Amino acid sequence: MKFSTRAIHTGQSADPSTGAVIPPLYLSTTYQQESPGVHKGYEYSRSQNPTRESLEACLASLEAGEACAAFCSGLAATNALLQMLRPGDGFVAGHDLYGGTFRLLNTVFKEWGLEVVRAESGEPEAYKKALASLKRPRMVWLESPTNPLLDIVDIKAVCDAVKRDSVQVVVDNTFATPYLQQPLALGADYVMHSTTKYLGGHSDVIGGAVIARTAELLEPIRYLQNTAGLIPGPMDCYLVQRGLKTLAVRMDRHCGNAAQLAEALSGMNGLARVIYPGLPAHPGHAIAKRQMRSFGGMISIELADGFEAAKSFCTKVKVFALAESLGGVESLCSHPPSMTHASVAPEDRRARGISDGFVRLSVGIEDADDLIADVQQALA
Ligand SMILES: *Cc1c(COP(=O)(O)O)cnc(C)c1O
């Protein structure tokens, strides 16, 4: 079955006892046993929960993986992937990664003894070089499109360049979603998600997930999910699964709106740069066209007049709300230099291409005309 059908039906058969089309939400923490050790596969909800299993089955199918473990946040999913490694193991971080992933690597896991190096650029050669500098290379972690620069990394080319039996590739697929891009089919071993974003899609649930290429690869993650107790609650699983049902239609609209807005922004005054992978001038456009179904709902802009102009823009928009996060039905704007990337030293920020006038837009599914008019009046 095709993507949209699986998003609605996989892991979600009607309830056999009542015929309810939507499977019930299982809140019970424990399950009655017939005699000691004899039960229906469920003992205690940290270990097994039917609502969580529904979500996991659906996500595994959408990412074309064999198995999935759901987590209570994207960072909890990241934490489980990193805890599979041993002190002294070598880790290659993509050149542009989610700030929270960096913080976890540079504080908790640095103290824990991981050897972390960063690829100098998004080129496959840069990943290969970083890997070669490690004593005991074990894991490569990348995003595409990246946050907030929206660089495109050629996932297949990186996998081809770094893959060997002892090295696993993880792709944080939060920005693209499985509807637009399926890293496991391009050679990755694991996909990680913050389901808080597009998968939940309505800015009302925090969650995460790891999907593995094979059931065997998921085993250590499943062990950590239960043993360290990083599980999402059943209500949160239900909300993410409800979000998945409309993922395909929402993404089509997010992408359509973003394409129209990027085009309109390209003709507006006051901007030094419009970054959107769907624009032919974007350096990663050709790769994005090959590895993604469409170009996503995120746009970054750089205001020509720096910090004051960015601040004024972010306070004058009316449809876009000034807020962190992304991927919900409502449009959001954020100013990375003073919000998500405030802890990065200003020189480092600028060296990475995040100027003081940098603004990130999460384009929602409102009417595109209203979004265009909103940024136009804010820029004016
Ligand atoms: C939000 C986000 C995360 C972290 O997820 P949480 O659900 O906030 O813990 C990781 N990666 C990317 C790309 C994100 O946008």
Side-chain angles (χ1 to χ4, degrees), residues 101-230:
T101 306
F102 256 119
R103 183 172 55 194
L104 187 62
L105 281 167
N106 281 334
T107 58
V108 178
F109 282 95
K110 200 169 246 177
E111 277 176 41
W112 206 59
L114 272 198
E115 191 188 358
V116 179
V117 292
R118 195 161 158 177
E120 275 170 28
S121 74
E123 294 300 319
E125 278 308 310
Y127 283 86
K128 200 170 174 176
K129 194 172 144 207
L131 197 74
S133 75
L134 293 165
K135 282 195 286 296
R136 214 163 75 206
R138 286 286 184 267
M139 188 176 277
V140 173
W141 187 291
L142 64 93
E143 291 174 22
S144 183
T146 66
N147 175 39
L149 292 166
L150 307 180
D151 282 352
I152 299 294
V153 176
D154 188 332
I155 298 171
K156 184 172 187 305
V158 170
C159 290
D160 290 346
V162 304
K163 270 312 264 294
R164 56 190 92 155
D165 287 343
S166 57
V167 174
Q168 283 157 350
V169 178
V170 181
V171 176
D172 178 342
N173 205 27
T174 301
F175 269 40
T177 83
Y179 182 62
L180 300 185
Q181 152 183 303
Q182 295 175 341
L184 300 179
L186 299 170
D189 300 291
Y190 294 97
V191 161
M192 171 263 153
H193 275 286
S194 167
T195 57
T196 313
K197 316 294 168 48
Y198 288 107
L199 303 189
H202 297 73
S203 306
D204 56 5
V205 57
I206 300 272
V210 174
I211 300 100
R213 186 166 51 74
T214 67
E216 194 187 347
L217 282 169
L218 194 80
E219 278 170 20
I221 297 290
R222 175 75 72 206
Y223 181 79
L224 284 163
Q225 179 197 36
N226 178 41
T227 304
L230 302 165

Side-chain angles (χ1 to χ4, degrees), residues 344-378:
V344 181
E347 316 80 72
D348 273 8
R349 265 199 325 257
R350 285 185 206 116
R352 288 177 56 193
I354 305 169
S355 71
D356 293 346
F358 201 94
V359 172
R360 191 189 76 179
L361 303 173
S362 172
V363 182
I365 63 170
E366 301 96 335
D367 194 287
D369 291 343
D370 291 330
L371 300 180
I372 293 169
D374 194 37
V375 298
Q376 201 147 31
Q377 65 78 26

Side-chain angles (χ1 to χ4, degrees), residues 322-363:
L322 177 59
E324 293 192 4
S325 200
L326 62 116
V329 292
E330 61 286 308
S331 292
L332 302 178
C333 73
S334 72
H335 182 238
S338 60
M339 294 167 73
T340 47
H341 289 63
S343 60
V344 181
E347 316 80 72
D348 273 8
R349 265 199 325 257
R350 285 185 206 116
R352 288 177 56 193
I354 305 169
S355 71
D356 293 346
F358 201 94
V359 172
R360 191 189 76 179
L361 303 173
S362 172
V363 182

Side-chain angles (χ1 to χ4, degrees), residues 11 22 39 48 55 62 67 80 83-84 88 116 198 229 231 345 360:
I22 301 302
H39 51 74
Q48 316 93 2
L55 171 64
L62 296 184
Q83 279 194 330
M84 289 197 301
V116 179
Y198 288 107
I231 51 155
R360 191 189 76 179

